[in-house]
Amino acid sequence: MRVHVVSDVHGAVEPLARAGDGADALVCLGDLILFLDYADHSRGIFPELFGTENADRIVELRTARRFEEARALSRMLWDGIDRAAAVERAVRKQYAEMFAVLPTPTYATYGNVDMPDLWPEFARPGTRVLDGKTVEVGGRVFGFVGGGLRTPMRTPYEIDDETYAAKVAALGPVDVLCSHIPPAVPELCYDTVARRFERGSQALLDAIHTVRPRYALFGHVHQPLAQRMRIGNTECVNVGHFNATRTPYVLEW
C-alpha cells in the first residue's frame, strides 16, 4: 500500500494534480487557500486586491509580530470593500481549481486558512472530507483532525482548545493520526524562517502518549526546526510545505 500525503498546498494547483501519481490514495492535511505567499508577495488573494507593495508591508508587520499595526493597515485597505464577498469569490475560484484535480480516492481535512463551509460545494465523490472522524485505508485506521487553534493571526478556521480536544478524543484508537497542526512539542512548532512558534496541540500530544499510533502526520509549520521526531512508539512527521517542495510525503506498508 502506498499513500501520498500533502499539506499547506496554498494554491499550488499543477503540483497538486500530480501529487497522487503512483499512489493508492492521497491524503491532504489542509491549507488549500493562498491568501498571501510569504515567499513571493505577488501571489495570493491579498496582493491581487491591494498590490505587492501593501503585501510587502503586511508581511513585514506580521513577521515582526506587530499584529495591531497589521490589523490597522488591513482595516484601512478594506475600508469601503465588502470583505466577505471579495474573499469568498477568490476562495471559490481557488477551490474550484484545486478540488477538480484531486485524485480518487482523496482523504482530506481542513487547515487553519481554509473555509470549511465551502468544501461541500467543491468536493467531488472521490474526495472524502474528515474532521474528528476515522477511515480505514489499506487495513490501517487513519484519524483526522482539521483546523488550527486560536492565535493573534485570526485565520479563518481557528477553534478553541476544548473543541479541538473533543475532536481528537472522538477518534479513539488509530494507526495514523492526521492533523493540520503539530502536537505541542517546541521543536515541531518552531518555524526557523518566520522565527516564531506556531501553536501546537496538547490534545494531539496526549493522544500520541495514550493511543500510541504508528504515525502522527501534520503540516502547518512551513520551515520546522525538526521535521520529524519519535515520541514513544509514534513517528511524528511534518509532511512538508507542499507549496514550496511540490513533493508529497510517502507512506508505504
Side-chain angles (χ1 to χ4, degrees), residues 99-191:
F99 277 97
V101 302
L102 291 175
T104 298
T106 293
Y107 304 99
T109 196
Y110 318 113
N112 62 294
V113 303
D114 284 312
M115 299 176 68
D117 290 347
L118 297 182
W119 280 36
E121 181 178 338
F122 298 98
R124 300 181 302 170
T127 299
R128 185 168 176 183
V129 180
L130 302 117
D131 187 17
K133 297 180 179 179
T134 62
V135 64
E136 186 175 313
V137 181
R140 289 188 176 179
V141 177
F142 284 62
F144 290 80
V145 185
L149 297 173
R150 298 272 167 82
T151 72
M153 300 290 282
R154 300 180 185 176
T155 51
Y157 191 44
E158 294 181 355
I159 58 180
D160 61 78
D161 291 50
E162 292 75 17
T163 302
Y164 193 93
K167 293 196 295 183
V168 176
L171 299 178
V174 296
D175 299 302
V176 185
L177 178 58
C178 298
S179 58
H180 178 68
I181 64 174
V185 177
E187 294 89 339
L188 300 175
C189 294
Y190 187 74
D191 191 307

Side-chain angles (χ1 to χ4, degrees), residues 18-211:
R18 302 187 298 270
D21 290 356
D24 298 295
L26 178 69
V27 168
C28 180
L29 302 181
D31 272 11
L32 297 178
I33 291 304
L34 180 62
F35 191 76
L36 176 57
D37 191 329
Y38 278 59
D40 181 354
H41 303 167
S42 67
R43 297 181 64 240
I45 295 171
F46 188 92
E48 287 176 6
L49 291 169
F50 303 118
T52 303
E53 185 176 336
N54 283 315
D56 291 340
R57 181 59 177 157
I58 207 85
V59 169
E60 178 187 353
L61 291 171
R62 288 179 176 176
T63 302
R65 303 187 68 79
R66 294 157 61 184
F67 296 118
E68 288 302 326
E69 293 176 67
R71 281 193 282 270
L73 174 60
S74 182
R75 283 193 297 269
M76 181 190 72
L77 293 171
W78 284 105
D79 187 40
I81 300 175
D82 186 337
R83 178 171 182 161
V87 170
E88 185 169 315
R89 281 194 300 271
V91 169
R92 285 179 182 275
K93 180 177 182 295
Q94 291 188 14
Y95 277 162
E97 294 172 348
M98 284 181 283
F99 277 97
V101 302
L102 291 175
T104 298
T106 293
Y107 304 99
T109 196
Y110 318 113
N112 62 294
V113 303
D114 284 312
M115 299 176 68
D117 290 347
L118 297 182
W119 280 36
E121 181 178 338
F122 298 98
R124 300 181 302 170
T127 299
R128 185 168 176 183
V129 180
L130 302 117
D131 187 17
K133 297 180 179 179
T134 62
V135 64
E136 186 175 313
V137 181
R140 289 188 176 179
V141 177
F142 284 62
F144 290 80
V145 185
L149 297 173
R150 298 272 167 82
T151 72
M153 300 290 282
R154 300 180 185 176
T155 51
Y157 191 44
E158 294 181 355
I159 58 180
D160 61 78
D161 291 50
E162 292 75 17
T163 302
Y164 193 93
K167 293 196 295 183
V168 176
L171 299 178
V174 296
D175 299 302
V176 185
L177 178 58
C178 298
S179 58
H180 178 68
I181 64 174
V185 177
E187 294 89 339
L188 300 175
C189 294
Y190 187 74
D191 191 307
T192 60
V193 174
R195 293 181 295 179
R196 65 168 182 260
F197 286 97
E198 301 289 351
R199 283 209 67 191
S201 166
Q202 183 63 42
L204 288 172
L205 183 58
D206 291 343
I208 288 168
H209 284 299
T210 58
V211 176

